[in-house]
Amino acid sequence: MAGHPDGQTVIGRRGGVFFATLVLAFVCAGAARSAGYFEAGEAAKRLSELGVERVVFVTRLRYDDPHWYANIGYFCDDENHKAYAGNGTDDESKLYVLDTKTGEVAVLFDGRGGGVRDAAVHYDGETILFSHRPAGKDNYSLYEIQSDGTGLRRVTGGDYDDIEATYLPTDEIVFVSTRSKRWVGCWMTQVGTLFKCDRQGGNIQPLSYNLEHDNTPAVLNDGRILYTRWEYLDRSQVGYHQLWAMNPDGTDVVTFYGNQHHYPLYIEGKAIPGSEKVLAIDSPGHGRTDHLGHVCVISMRYGPDDRRGYKRVTPRGEYNDPYPIDSENFIVASHKQLLLGDVSGRLEVVLTYKGSANIHEPAPVVGRPRQKIMAERTDEDMAMGQMILADVYEGRNMEGVKRGEIKKLLLLEPLPKPVNFSGGMDLTSWLGTFILERVLGTVPVEEDGSAFFEVPAGRPVLFVALDANDMSVQRMQSFTNVQPGESLGCIGCHEHRSLSPASVQGNSLAAMRRAPSRIRSYDPLPDVIDFRRHVQPILNEHCVKCHNYQDRKGRVVLTEDLGIAWSLSYYMLIARGQVADGRNGYGNQKPRTIGSSASRLMQKIDGSHHEVKLSDEQRRTVWMWIESGAPYAGTYAGLRNGAEQHRQGAAYGAFSSPVLNRTCRKCHSGGGKAMPIPYGLSNEERGRYVREKNLAPHERIVREEDYRFSAHILFNTSRPELSPLLLGPLAKSAGGWESCEHRFAGTDDGDYQSLLASLRAVKAKLDEVPRFGQPDFQPNRQYIREMIRFGILDADYKPGEKPIDYFETDQQYWRLFWYTPDDENKWAYLE
């Protein structure tokens, strides 16, 4: 027997109590909770005939959150609200082994109310790796145990979640971990990315630098790591979570299958023995809890995006954790059943669990040969890597781009979030980017379309191809990265990933006839743009003299007044289509449709628009803002927690004037209680519009009637008396616009005063706590909590005692992820 880390005893022998087809699950002596039991099926014996005499698996309760990834740690808004099964209550979670010859089941490890997940078997066919979260604790660590129940030991530790681990042929372990210290950009849970360590849990190294989740790594037959990568730079947050591959040292990251497909979630991919195919789960839409979906087979024969390579095996999307046995057969879980299946779609019951929990992660306890060991391509003494672009003009969606047009590449660094509180963009943008981007600078592109340049190691980057006037030609709506000392080559812009990179040997490329270019920054300009700090002062100097509440040229107001959430000028620029961002739509857009070349605002600051002429620094600042996604809040401290978002809803509720129903709704009928003036499309209208225009499900749709009657335009919460809701019906002689049929003769009109009183009540509700954009604003307690946890703020810092520079605090947080080879701790975020 083996000692349990929580002081319990672990069964140290195989065996169980077998009554006909009923198999009781063992519980350890002294365990307080009763166990479920198992009912064996005929397929158990057939599994034995296929050479699988034992299967290890786990049971656990269903996760509460509907998202496929939200199953670790706590929710950002409330650290007492847990994301793992049961929200902190006891889980019915154990590690079992099934003897397929006898049908007997034994408990290898009882979680005793804690969590057990992610069983994986070593190449030796005896050692089992799994994750365990003790009862009353928040975090999962990696453990090993032998298949006879002996040798239990803890591999990793710390206040992080280490999950979904598997063995590499080098005997190292690759796993998913929240050591990456970031939060999901569109939800309230923590991110896990790929790391590796040795068998003792030491020498932890990052393999991935994703801002969102990586999941379920497995080793391909060629020795590479296959995994699921979710990301959404300038494109829909719900559609792009496909299969990717990398070398075991984290180099040569490439898409494996589906990156051009909006939906589904491809996850739990594993190599089919003796084949280039993989067995995986196609989890419909944005993915389902517990990775439930259709079992599918994916072939790379046709390339990474060709749907001919996809074959659905199961018609119902109710399966999880498939494991291939050979080229035809596999085992898979489905709720409370363990099944034996084949690629023709036949499924037979191996085992059924009669309890509250479900079956997960079955794996044959069988030895297997190691895949080939790949040579290391990193150099830990180098802070940089190199990228080689063969021909920027080669690739998809480059139609109409002439050779010689592209002169530079702009390099942007997407930045991780230390907190997040909602499924939307909140104050980062209005229905645009979820993520802030650092402007790193530019590198030259040669006449033959080649580029050769240095890139900071361990930091995600994306590129924008620029013409001679620095206007955007094509934008990368994904990211890439290099490891320390890595040289990474690609063909071109959005190239088809099934093509082989062009030769970069000798002098075949013009860029290779010289040393690699260094990134040319725009210092001393800010590298992360905040609209109110950096763009609004330019509008104040050059634009507000015409676009104010008195003149309102073109029905546009660009003052710095706050609205309900964003500033009125920011909302107006986006809603009026002056900025072309990703719109939360599909990726791989056509040339010159995103960024500066497609943004009408750039044409209005080049001297041709009423002689408005900006300085070179001012124009560059506006350009940088647009190319970095046109964010509103240039700090994640601006993200609002649940109470702050609720205050916005309560502010709508404070608007109680009866004037709207008596006057405004005669023309502007419809809408709901929250929006006093109708705004947006109905669900039916939106669905029809999305289908007609081939838009992404969550893509921003703005029609003139939408923004004109939006509360984000109508309510001025800095100066309520200048709210368009009042100025529209107010007579010009009284300082109004007279743009409505209903008229207020003057400001002493009873209806005018009623509306003004309601608007002031809205402002008072919003101003109960200083908001982002107001001088006394300070970050919420959750931001402070995480910055203390990440070591940025002192552990004894108390909110309110001393104001913090939250822009600089963000910068310090982001610098945690810079690789510094000269420091003893080369990765500052890995204690």
Side-chain angles (χ1 to χ4, degrees):
M1 296 187 179
H4 191 284
D6 303 323
Q8 80 172 54
T9 301
V10 180
I11 293 295
R13 62 180 177 86
R14 284 188 287 153
V17 183
F18 186 60
F19 299 101
T21 60
L22 296 183
V23 187
L24 293 178
F26 265 104
V27 288
C28 302
R33 59 190 56 81
S34 62
Y37 64 92
F38 292 94
E39 184 176 292
E42 289 298 320
K45 293 181 180 178
R46 207 170 84 78
L47 194 54
S48 174
E49 293 167 0
L50 290 172
V52 179
E53 296 184 356
R54 290 180 293 165
V55 175
V56 66
F57 62 94
V58 304
T59 58
R60 64 170 181 271
L61 296 174
R62 180 182 175 89
Y63 295 125
D64 297 336
D65 192 281
H67 295 85
W68 53 274
Y69 53 85
N71 50 41
I72 47 176
Y74 52 85
F75 286 88
C76 192
D77 209 6
D78 181 4
E79 58 271 27
N80 296 313
H81 182 194
K82 311 304 181 183
Y84 46 81
N87 187 25
T89 61
D90 283 359
D91 196 350
E92 193 177 308
S93 193
K94 300 178 179 66
L95 177 68
Y96 294 95
V97 63
L98 163 69
D99 187 318
T100 60
K101 286 185 175 180
T102 65
E104 296 178 342
V105 176
V107 175
L108 289 182
F109 181 85
D110 187 342
R112 299 192 67 177
V116 181
R117 54 178 292 174
D118 308 325
V121 179
H122 190 269
Y123 295 96
D124 63 14
E126 291 295 338
T127 307
I128 297 166
L129 182 65
F130 65 99
S131 294
H132 169 52
R133 176 188 54 79
K137 304 294 184 182
D138 282 343
N139 301 116
Y140 284 92
S141 298
L142 301 183
Y143 288 77
E144 280 187 340
I145 195 170
Q146 297 304 300
S147 63
D148 63 358
T150 63
L152 176 69
R153 69 184 188 89
R154 183 170 171 171
V155 179
T156 63
D159 296 330
Y160 313 99
D161 286 293
D162 298 333
I163 59 173
E164 297 177 350
T166 194
Y167 293 102
L168 294 172
T170 56
D171 230 24
E172 296 169 300
I173 296 170
V174 58
F175 61 103
V176 174
S177 179
T178 58
R179 297 168 189 271
S180 48
K181 294 182 177 177
R182 56 199 63 185
W183 289 76
V184 174
C186 65
W187 201 233
M188 300 164 279
T189 50
Q190 296 174 59
V191 165
T193 58
L194 295 186
F195 293 80
K196 72 174 180 179
C197 66
D198 58 34
R199 289 282 294 277
Q200 285 67 49
N203 193 29
I204 295 176
Q205 301 173 41
L207 297 180
S208 167
Y209 308 100
N210 195 358
L211 273 63
E212 307 301 332
H213 272 278
D214 300 318
N215 283 98
T216 60
V219 183
L220 290 167
N221 293 328
D222 62 9
R224 293 182 298 160
I225 297 171
L226 177 72
Y227 66 104
T228 296
R229 168 167 136 175
W230 178 31
E231 42 121 322
Y232 43 91
L233 293 173
D234 303 309
R235 57 180 180 170
S236 170
Q237 81 276 26
V238 296
Y240 296 97
H241 17 55
Q242 282 79 22
L243 296 176
W244 288 69
M246 64 167 63
N247 294 337
D249 61 359
T251 60
D252 197 22
V253 177
V254 296
T255 182
F256 186 84
Y257 185 78
N259 192 42
Q260 295 299 315
H261 301 169
H262 189 275
Y263 295 150
L265 161 70
Y266 292 114
I267 199 163
E268 301 286 356
K270 294 180 179 66
I272 294 176
S275 169
E276 42 78 34
K277 298 177 181 179
V278 300
L279 191 70
I281 288 292
D282 158 359
S283 192
H286 187 33
R288 296 176 177 173
T289 299
D290 290 328
H291 303 175
L292 287 169
H294 307 273
V295 178
C296 65
V297 174
I298 294 172
S299 170
M300 291 303 296
R301 179 180 301 176
Y302 304 102
D305 299 310
D306 195 316
R307 295 188 186 275
R308 290 178 297 172
Y310 170 89
K311 177 187 176 182
R312 179 172 288 181
V313 175
T314 59
R316 292 172 55 245
E318 298 295 331
Y319 303 91
N320 56 279
D321 310 316
Y323 197 107
I325 297 170
D326 53 35
S327 61
E328 296 293 325
N329 300 287
F330 59 88
I331 52 176
V332 67
S334 179
H335 301 289
K336 301 182 186 304
Q337 290 187 320
L338 174 61
L339 304 167
L340 172 63
D342 62 34
V343 294
S344 71
R346 185 179 67 172
L347 292 165
E348 302 174 83
V349 177
V350 174
L351 202 64
T352 300
Y353 183 58
K354 302 293 185 176
S356 299
N358 294 323
I359 293 176
H360 293 273
E361 293 105 31
V365 185
V366 177
R368 66 190 191 281
R370 298 174 191 255
Q371 300 88 351
K372 70 175 182 179
I373 295 177
M374 306 181 75
E376 289 275 335
R377 293 175 50 194
T378 64
D379 184 343
E380 66 175 11
D381 294 327
M382 297 183 67
M384 308 290 282
Q386 297 176 349
M387 289 191 176
I388 306 157
L389 171 64
D391 188 351
V392 73
Y393 301 101
E394 288 293 327
R396 294 171 288 193
N397 268 351
M398 292 298 287
E399 295 82 1
V401 180
K402 298 177 181 177
R403 286 200 166 270
E405 276 192 73
I406 298 172
K407 303 299 183 182
K408 301 175 185 175
L409 294 179
L410 172 66
L411 276 65
L412 301 168
E413 178 188 4
L415 298 166
K417 283 184 170 180
V419 290
N420 202 62
F421 304 100
S422 73
M425 302 81 173
D426 196 38
L427 298 189
T428 302
S429 74
W430 178 56
L431 301 180
T433 182
F434 287 84
I435 302 298
L436 295 175
E437 295 169 2
R438 185 195 305 278
V439 179
L440 295 175
T442 60
V443 295
V445 173
E446 303 297 335
E447 286 300 315
D448 65 349
S450 65
F452 179 35
F453 52 96
E454 294 182 337
V455 180
R459 292 159 64 182
V461 293
L462 62 105
F463 310 128
V464 181
L466 304 176
D467 64 17
N469 297 314
D470 283 359
M471 303 298 277
S472 60
V473 177
Q474 184 56 283
R475 184 181 183 89
M476 181 179 180
Q477 293 179 266
S478 180
F479 76 90
T480 187
N481 62 261
V482 293
Q483 293 285 358
E486 178 186 1
S487 292
L488 178 66
C490 63
I491 300 170
C493 199
H494 294 177
E495 84 277 4
H496 198 293
R497 296 291 184 111
S498 65
L499 301 175
S500 298
S503 171
V504 294
Q505 300 299 318
N507 296 326
S508 61
L509 303 176
M512 295 295 291
R513 299 171 197 152
R514 56 167 172 78
S517 303
R518 293 186 175 181
I519 299 172
R520 183 176 180 180
S521 75
Y522 292 105
D523 188 64
L525 295 178
D527 56 0
V528 180
I529 307 296
D530 175 80
F531 180 83
R532 292 185 65 84
R533 292 178 85 200
H534 304 125
V535 179
Q536 186 63 52
I538 299 172
L539 301 180
N540 291 345
E541 180 179 344
H542 296 282
C543 307
V544 170
K545 59 186 176 184
C546 293
H547 299 293
N548 57 64
Y549 288 103
Q550 288 71 42
D551 292 342
R552 200 170 67 113
K553 293 289 193 301
R555 296 190 305 178
V556 171
V557 175
L558 295 177
T559 62
E560 59 186 306
D561 298 87
L562 289 173
I564 291 289
W566 306 272
S567 72
L568 295 174
S569 58
Y570 175 83
Y571 188 89
M572 180 66 75
L573 287 173
I574 303 298
R576 291 295 296 265
Q578 298 302 300
V579 175
D581 59 4
R583 305 180 306 280
N584 197 32
Y586 291 130
N588 200 9
Q589 299 290 327
K590 293 181 179 179
R592 302 187 187 277
T593 58
I594 299 178
S596 54
S597 63
S599 296
R600 287 183 282 170
L601 180 60
M602 291 302 298
Q603 300 165 15
K604 291 181 170 64
I605 61 174
D606 63 2
S608 62
H609 179 71
H610 301 288
E611 299 182 353
V612 173
K613 183 68 174 177
L614 276 61
S615 70
D616 290 343
E617 280 196 358
Q618 289 175 327
R619 185 181 182 279
R620 179 64 69 187
T621 299
V622 175
W623 175 89
M624 291 168 65
W625 173 65
I626 291 173
E627 294 297 359
S628 60
Y632 175 60
T635 167
Y636 291 133
L639 295 173
R640 299 172 298 173
N641 63 25
E644 292 163 334
Q645 293 178 56
H646 178 75
R647 192 173 297 114
Q648 177 179 320
Y652 284 127
F655 192 94
S656 58
S657 173
V659 176
L660 291 179
N661 287 330
R662 193 173 65 250
T663 60
C664 304
R665 291 195 187 279
K666 291 179 180 179
C667 298
H668 309 299
S669 60
K673 292 181 179 179
M675 303 298 286
I677 301 294
Y679 170 70
L681 308 176
S682 70
N683 289 338
E684 182 179 351
E685 289 174 323
R686 180 180 177 85
R688 184 166 57 250
Y689 195 90
V690 164
R691 289 190 297 273
E692 290 173 354
K693 302 294 185 181
N694 191 33
L695 302 176
H698 293 268
E699 186 162 346
R700 183 175 64 226
I701 300 173
V702 184
R703 305 182 305 177
E704 183 173 352
E705 56 266 39
D706 290 339
Y707 74 77
R708 283 179 60 203
F709 304 135
S710 165
H712 294 293
I713 288 292
L714 296 177
F715 290 12
N716 184 327
T717 62
S718 293
R719 297 179 288 175
E721 67 277 7
L722 294 181
S723 295
L725 186 64
L726 289 173
L727 296 175
L730 184 62
K732 289 184 178 179
S733 60
W737 299 341
E738 284 190 18
S739 58
C740 296
E741 283 189 20
H742 184 78
R743 293 282 190 273
F744 300 144
T747 56
D748 57 351
D749 183 286
D751 286 350
Y752 175 94
Q753 288 295 324
S754 175
L755 287 177
L756 178 58
S758 284
L759 288 166
R760 284 174 172 164
V762 170
K763 171 178 169 58
K765 175 57 68 175
L766 291 172
D767 287 349
E768 287 178 352
V769 176
R771 296 178 278 156
F772 181 78
Q774 294 180 320
D776 295 332
F777 168 78
Q778 281 291 288
N780 54 48
R781 73 166 187 86
Q782 292 89 348
Y783 179 90
I784 300 298
R785 178 195 69 207
E786 295 304 299
M787 287 303 187
I788 291 174
R789 185 166 75 94
F790 297 151
I792 303 301
L793 296 176
D794 292 338
D796 59 354
Y797 176 82
K798 299 292 188 298
E801 285 186 356
K802 179 182 178 183
I804 64 169
D805 181 343
Y806 40 86
F807 291 103
E808 176 56 28
T809 302
D810 270 11
Q811 292 282 1
Q812 291 179 30
Y813 163 69
W814 294 323
R815 284 195 287 271
L816 279 179
F817 308 105
W818 292 10
Y819 183 67
T820 53
D822 294 334
D823 292 348
E824 182 178 352
N825 190 7
K826 301 177 188 297
W827 300 102
Y829 67 102
L830 297 180
E831 293 94 345

